[in-house]
Amino acid sequence: MSKFINSASRQFILAIFVYIVLTPALVDGRRISNGVNKSIIKTIKVDNDEIIDCYDIFKQPSLDHPSLRNHTIQLRPSVYPKNTKLDNPGTLQLTQTWHKYGTCPHGTIPIRRNVRKHYDSTLFRKQRRPKPFHNKKPNTLQSNEDSEIHEWATIKMHGSFIGAQAKINLWNPMVESSSEMSVSQIWVRAGPYNELNTIEAGWTVDPFYFNDSQTRFFIMWTGDGYKHGCVNLLCPGFVQTSSDIGLGCNFTEMSTFNGDQKDATFSIHKDQNSGNWWVQLQGISLGYYPSSIFNRLSKTADGVDFGGEITNARSNGIHTTTQMGSGHYPSEGGLGISSYFSHVQVITENNEVIDNPENVQLYISNPYCYDLKVDEKRTNGYSFYYGGSGYNDKCQQ
Ligand SMILES: *[C@@H]1O[C@H](CO)[C@@H](O)[C@H](O)[C@H]1NC(C)=O
Ligand SMILES: *[C@@H]1O[C@H](CO)[C@@H](O)[C@H](O)[C@H]1NC(C)=O
Ligand SMILES: *[C@@H]1O[C@H](CO)[C@@H](O)[C@H](O)[C@H]1NC(C)=O
Ligand SMILES: *[C@@H]1O[C@H](CO)[C@@H](O)[C@H](O)[C@H]1NC(C)=O
């Protein structure tokens, strides 16, 4: 009799054990077996606004692009440009903040969870598509397009290129309104305005996408003059391979006025064997835009640009106070005062790196608002200072 009770209670205890310990696991098992979550191998929480999911590299959302249905992922570039300065990364030690909270396992890629969920191409056009140019003054552009006024302080080079790279000084410019942005970046482009193909990489302060004022790493592409395309991984296209670098993540350190300067090396380079346009940060290959998503950049670029861009929403009926670069003009001073690009390099069709680019055009929409000055000393390769504070006595409209 006692033997029977013992066995029954043992079964009862075992049943409770199974219920308590295994039920949540079964629920979890069911939850992670559907849809997107099957691709997420690990989640890293930085804080409430910053969550990184480590996706199985072969199940990343970008592969949903129609032209990438049968895509075979290239895990690393097959060639590097000759004479490249990738052995010379910027002054950042730990590249991105989230590394302090965990790492994504080998075979996975970090994807920052989107703050802005209802992303679509109308929003992309409104913010990113510069109004078409009808004369040289961007502030007198025709206003039939529902988009912000864009302003630039950049250098431009024309020619057949397959890459561009530079060290960009890292700053945290103030952005006035939540529909504006301030970026410092590299453009690789091909085609006329309406069909423009671009690949862009750099840093941005962009409350519109990120709902905060932090300086973040970003990339962007369009295949049709900014009618479609996107920032980071908000639409399919970019195939990521790195488990170390997260798009839209912030940097660990920023430069301070008259203090320590931080910079990072950004690079865009076409692997001519595969046709893929690789993006690198600090010499780390992040991933690539396949040639097949472009019509023009499926071949070489016909130009590259470097510098700053802002959008001016004129929220108070006057020119925005949104800053570019450090918020200080090159005329106020160089290192530690205004922001810089150094070791500006372009890569020719023959995969040769050009250290001292020629035929450089300055493209400054209004030097009283944002300016750019080439550093003639060239102590750090081809370099320039750029930026400004926006609204002032001479920058009103
Ligand atoms: C996927 O996982 C996240 C967090 O782990 C959860 O919030 C979300 O509801 C899950 N999605 C699905 C479709 O189960
Ligand atoms: C992918 O492969 C299938 C079967 O081989 C083929 O029918 C389809 O056209 C391919 N799709 C693309 C985009 O290449
Ligand atoms: C933006 O951030 C604020 C707080 O900083 C928050 O209340 C708001 O919900 C966020 N908006 C979105 C779209 O996440
Ligand atoms: C990066 O983001 C984290 C988390 O939001 C924040 O604590 C940190 O101050 C940021 N770093 C910089 C340099 O802005």
Side-chain angles (χ1 to χ4, degrees):
M1 187 66 184
S2 75
K3 214 174 181 186
F4 172 68
I5 289 167
N6 267 348
S7 151
S9 61
R10 232 180 283 131
Q11 277 178 21
F12 180 69
I13 290 165
L14 186 67
I16 288 176
F17 173 81
V18 166
Y19 180 78
I20 292 172
V21 175
L22 296 185
T23 303
L26 287 174
V27 170
D28 259 347
R30 226 177 299 130
R31 183 158 52 89
I32 59 173
S33 72
N34 59 23
V36 167
N37 285 2
K38 207 167 37 171
S39 334
I40 299 173
I41 308 296
K42 182 180 171 183
T43 292
I44 299 165
K45 188 170 173 186
V46 175
D47 58 31
N48 284 337
D49 299 323
E50 190 88 358
I51 296 167
I52 311 283
D53 293 312
C54 307
Y55 277 70
D56 181 336
I57 185 171
F58 296 106
K59 292 177 186 159
Q60 57 182 300
S62 249
L63 299 174
D64 293 342
H65 191 288
S67 79
L68 302 181
R69 288 282 146 71
N70 305 330
H71 186 75
T72 306
I73 295 180
Q74 183 184 10
L75 290 172
R76 59 192 61 84
S78 68
V79 285
Y80 291 93
K82 294 173 200 131
N83 307 323
T84 187
K85 294 259 190 319
L86 289 180
D87 52 334
N88 182 18
T91 51
L92 268 190
Q93 294 306 315
L94 189 69
T95 307
Q96 292 188 320
T97 298
W98 67 273
H99 293 168
K100 291 178 198 156
Y101 299 82
T103 53
C104 278
H106 191 70
T108 69
I109 58 158
I111 300 186
R112 186 178 183 270
R113 255 184 232 172
N114 291 336
V115 174
R116 187 173 283 277
K117 294 199 172 60
H118 303 292
Y119 171 82
D120 64 33
S121 49
T122 315
L123 289 178
F124 175 71
R125 276 197 289 281
K126 175 159 169 39
Q127 196 214 24
R128 291 288 172 154
R129 187 171 199 231
K131 293 179 187 185
F133 270 54
H134 298 289
N135 59 40
K136 290 222 171 72
K137 292 190 194 132
N139 289 346
T140 57
L141 292 170
Q142 294 191 349
S143 55
N144 53 354
E145 292 269 323
D146 179 28
S147 61
E148 306 292 0
I149 297 165
H150 288 236
E151 293 174 37
W152 294 268
T154 59
I155 61 167
K156 280 181 176 293
M157 286 169 242
H158 301 278
S160 261
F161 300 117
I162 61 162
Q165 69 179 51
K167 267 191 205 177
I168 311 181
N169 201 188
L170 300 173
W171 287 92
N172 185 234
M174 190 276 294
V175 172
E176 184 187 283
S177 90
S178 62
S179 66
E180 294 179 335
M181 62 177 190
S182 179
V183 304
S184 293
Q185 63 164 95
I186 301 172
W187 288 257
V188 166
R189 59 184 156 78
Y193 176 80
N194 260 312
E195 296 157 45
L196 191 67
N197 287 198
T198 70
I199 295 171
E200 308 177 20
W203 59 253
T204 183
V205 175
D206 193 333
F208 178 80
Y209 281 115
F210 300 112
N211 197 27
D212 66 16
S213 55
Q214 294 207 20
T215 301
R216 299 180 176 279
F217 173 47
F218 87 103
I219 59 170
M220 194 181 113
W221 74 286
T222 181
D224 60 1
Y226 300 103
K227 292 192 269 297
H228 302 88
C230 63
V231 171
N232 294 344
L233 299 175
L234 292 173
C235 66
F238 187 77
V239 179
Q240 194 169 332
T241 57
S242 168
S243 56
D244 289 332
I245 306 288
L247 287 161
C249 293
N250 73 347
F251 299 93
T252 44
E253 301 169 305
M254 285 292 122
S255 305
T256 52
F257 189 72
N258 269 329
D260 271 359
Q261 297 306 300
K262 301 296 171 190
D263 57 26
T265 303
F266 297 79
S267 143
I268 300 169
H269 171 237
K270 183 172 188 154
D271 177 339
Q272 283 166 307
N273 297 325
S274 61
N276 296 330
W277 287 92
W278 283 85
V279 177
Q280 290 171 319
L281 174 66
Q282 293 287 73
I284 300 169
S285 295
L286 178 76
Y288 57 86
Y289 287 108
S291 262
S292 59
I293 65 171
F294 297 106
N295 52 8
R296 303 267 179 168
L297 281 176
S298 47
K299 303 190 187 75
T300 63
D302 58 29
V304 297
D305 306 340
F306 301 82
E309 179 181 8
I310 61 100
T311 51
N312 174 13
R314 305 184 81 254
S315 317
N316 302 316
I318 50 171
H319 194 285
T320 182
T321 56
T322 287
Q323 300 174 329
M324 180 191 289
S326 66
H328 294 272
Y329 296 89
S331 59
E332 294 176 59
L335 192 65
I337 297 172
S338 60
S339 183
Y340 63 81
F341 277 55
S342 66
H343 296 287
V344 170
Q345 298 175 316
V346 292
I347 300 155
T348 66
E349 279 179 289
N350 305 322
N351 215 31
E352 296 278 359
V353 176
I354 307 286
D355 275 317
N356 268 314
E358 288 168 12
N359 300 323
V360 177
Q361 287 175 4
L362 303 194
Y363 184 75
I364 302 165
S365 37
N366 181 348
Y368 292 119
C369 300
Y370 309 98
D371 204 2
L372 185 150
K373 193 168 156 237
V374 175
D375 180 15
E376 299 300 344
K377 282 178 280 179
R378 298 201 177 186
T379 36
N380 294 305
Y382 188 101
S383 318
F384 61 83
Y385 291 100
Y386 71 103
S389 60
Y391 180 82
N392 64 46
D393 286 352
K394 291 178 170 168
C395 170
Q396 303 256 331
Q397 293 305 309

